[in-house]
């Protein structure tokens, strides 16, 4: 007997039911973020002193790595043991309290990403075929891994490069860099999370390919436009520094090429499935 693809949901959901499911998705996701925020608040001293403010120190691992690279290629010692010329200050009465709260919320979001992805999968799974639902664990693991890799990439590479570049720009000896705490933390958070989201490109391409909105041929044909878009994204999330933009562009180009192979895999799988169904119908 022919085994046709069947959707798990026997009855189609109404628009209001979809809204209700979306509401609960947002509620549960918010609870996960709140729980992660509470954990972050408990360890806020470690988060601020060992993570957020670490790129301010000249002995940060990235600066030491680039120092060795600069010495090896004889590029000078701009990253070697030099104290960064800026201080972080708070200029409002509730500034530090506000920073603690919103930083904990951001950390809570990062911690809760796997659980949020699980909720997203539950929301979209009724629209998937039965044989596609078995990839739930793979989707959550791969998406979480890519996000965390992007966050680490942004934190360990883009953030220190941005801080080093921006704080060493000096129009006059009269002007001192006294950076507001919100400005500094905003750079660290925005850069890290932006890179985490950008690294989700292969997952996005996978679902667009499943829905038939993009194909490997389409991605290859518009590769040159994608490269321009990637350069624009790299310019947005990095300082106006050629080295930083190249460092961001390379992994994005790799992710784009990986996305092409993912799209091709989805197409080949769909083609084999259609051929199998055609043979069964002919029999």
């Amino acid at each position: 007997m022919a085994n046709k693809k069947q959707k798990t949901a026997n009855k189609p959901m109404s628009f209001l039911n979809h809204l209700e499911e979306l509401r609960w998705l947002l509620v549960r996701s918010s609870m996960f973020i709140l729980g992660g925020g509470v954990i972050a608040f408990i360890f806020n001293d470690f988060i601020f002193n060992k993570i957020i403010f670490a790129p301010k120190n000249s002995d940060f691992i990235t600066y030491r790595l680039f120092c060795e690279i600069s010495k090896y290629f004889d590029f000078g010692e701009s990253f070697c043991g030099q104290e960064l010329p800026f201080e972080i200050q708070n200029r409002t009465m509730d500034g530090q309290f506000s920073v603690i709260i919103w930083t904990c919320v951001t950390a809570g979001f990062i911690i809760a990403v796997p659980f949020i992805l699980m909720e997203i999968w539950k929301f979209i799974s009724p629209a998937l075929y039965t044989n596609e639902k078995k990839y739930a664990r793979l989707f959550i693991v791969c998406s979480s891994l890519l996000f965390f890799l992007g966050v680490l990439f942004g934190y360990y590479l883009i953030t220190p490069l941005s801080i080093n570049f921006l704080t060493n720009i000096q129009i006059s000896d009269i002007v001192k860099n006294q950076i507001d705490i919100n400005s500094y933390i905003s750079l660290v958070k925005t850069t890290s999370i932006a890179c985490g989201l950008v690294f989700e490109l292969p997952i996005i391409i996978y679902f667009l390919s499943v829905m038939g909105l993009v194909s490997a041929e389409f991605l290859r044909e518009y590769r040159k436009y994608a490269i321009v878009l990637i350069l624009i994204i790299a310019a947005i999330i990095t300082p106006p520094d050629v080295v930083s933009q190249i460092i961001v562009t390379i992994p994005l180009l790799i992710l784009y090429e990986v996305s092409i192979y993912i799209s091709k895999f989805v197409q080949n799988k769909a083609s084999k499935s259609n051929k199998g169904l055609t043979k069964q119908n002919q029999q």
Side-chain angles (χ1 to χ4, degrees), residues 124-188:
I124 65 176
S125 61
L128 300 176
Y129 294 112
T130 304
N131 65 331
E132 293 171 340
K133 290 174 179 285
K134 62 184 179 182
Y135 296 114
R137 188 173 298 176
L138 182 63
F139 163 77
I140 294 170
V141 170
C142 290
S143 300
S144 301
L145 182 61
L146 285 170
F147 178 79
F148 290 136
L149 283 175
V151 169
L152 292 174
F153 178 81
Y155 173 75
Y156 280 106
L157 280 176
I158 308 307
T159 295
L161 287 173
S162 300
I163 291 173
N164 184 277
F165 177 82
L166 294 173
T167 56
N168 277 290
I169 295 177
Q170 191 172 18
I171 58 175
S172 172
D173 292 335
I174 298 175
V175 182
K176 305 298 180 183
N177 284 330
Q178 296 177 329
I179 310 300
D180 184 73
I181 188 170
N182 287 299
S183 176
Y184 175 85
I185 292 181
S186 176
L187 185 146
V188 177

Side-chain angles (χ1 to χ4, degrees), residues 86-98:
F86 76 101
E87 296 179 351
I88 299 175
Q89 63 175 346
N90 172 53
R91 295 183 297 176
T92 58
M93 186 67 70
D94 63 340
Q96 297 197 47
F97 175 77
S98 177

Side-chain angles (χ1 to χ4, degrees), residues 67-283:
C67 176
E68 295 299 324
I69 294 173
S70 297
K71 287 180 178 178
Y72 181 82
F73 290 102
D74 197 23
F75 289 157
E77 299 184 357
S78 57
F79 287 96
C80 299
Q82 297 182 4
E83 289 295 328
L84 296 174
F86 76 101
E87 296 179 351
I88 299 175
Q89 63 175 346
N90 172 53
R91 295 183 297 176
T92 58
M93 186 67 70
D94 63 340
Q96 297 197 47
F97 175 77
S98 177
V99 163
I100 291 174
I101 297 301
W102 286 109
T103 300
C104 289
V105 170
T106 304
F109 169 75
I110 294 173
I111 294 170
V113 160
F115 303 100
I116 295 173
L117 290 170
M118 181 176 64
E119 291 298 324
I120 293 173
W121 182 267
K122 289 180 181 178
F123 180 73
I124 65 176
S125 61
L128 300 176
Y129 294 112
T130 304
N131 65 331
E132 293 171 340
K133 290 174 179 285
K134 62 184 179 182
Y135 296 114
R137 188 173 298 176
L138 182 63
F139 163 77
I140 294 170
V141 170
C142 290
S143 300
S144 301
L145 182 61
L146 285 170
F147 178 79
F148 290 136
L149 283 175
V151 169
L152 292 174
F153 178 81
Y155 173 75
Y156 280 106
L157 280 176
I158 308 307
T159 295
L161 287 173
S162 300
I163 291 173
N164 184 277
F165 177 82
L166 294 173
T167 56
N168 277 290
I169 295 177
Q170 191 172 18
I171 58 175
S172 172
D173 292 335
I174 298 175
V175 182
K176 305 298 180 183
N177 284 330
Q178 296 177 329
I179 310 300
D180 184 73
I181 188 170
N182 287 299
S183 176
Y184 175 85
I185 292 181
S186 176
L187 185 146
V188 177
K189 293 191 299 184
T190 302
T191 302
S192 300
I193 292 179
C195 288
L197 296 176
V198 168
F199 269 54
E200 295 290 335
L201 178 63
I203 303 298
I204 296 171
I205 294 298
Y206 171 80
F207 280 102
L208 292 177
S209 299
V210 169
M211 292 185 290
L213 297 178
V214 298
S215 63
E217 293 75 17
F218 174 86
L219 294 174
R220 289 194 187 97
E221 181 180 354
Y222 289 92
R223 182 188 276 117
K224 57 185 178 181
Y225 300 106
I227 292 174
V228 174
L229 181 60
I230 287 171
L231 290 172
I232 293 173
I233 294 173
I236 291 173
I237 63 177
T238 61
D241 173 31
V242 176
V243 175
S244 301
Q245 292 176 10
I246 291 173
I247 291 174
V248 174
T249 300
I250 291 173
L252 292 183
L253 289 175
I254 294 172
L255 288 172
Y256 187 82
E257 294 301 322
V258 170
S259 299
I260 293 176
Y261 285 101
I262 290 174
S263 182
K264 185 177 180 180
F265 169 78
V266 172
Q267 286 180 270
N268 291 339
K269 187 176 178 182
S271 178
K272 290 179 181 178
S273 178
N274 291 332
K275 287 179 181 179
L277 289 174
T278 302
K279 289 181 179 179
Q280 290 175 355
N281 292 331
Q282 289 175 350
Q283 292 175 357

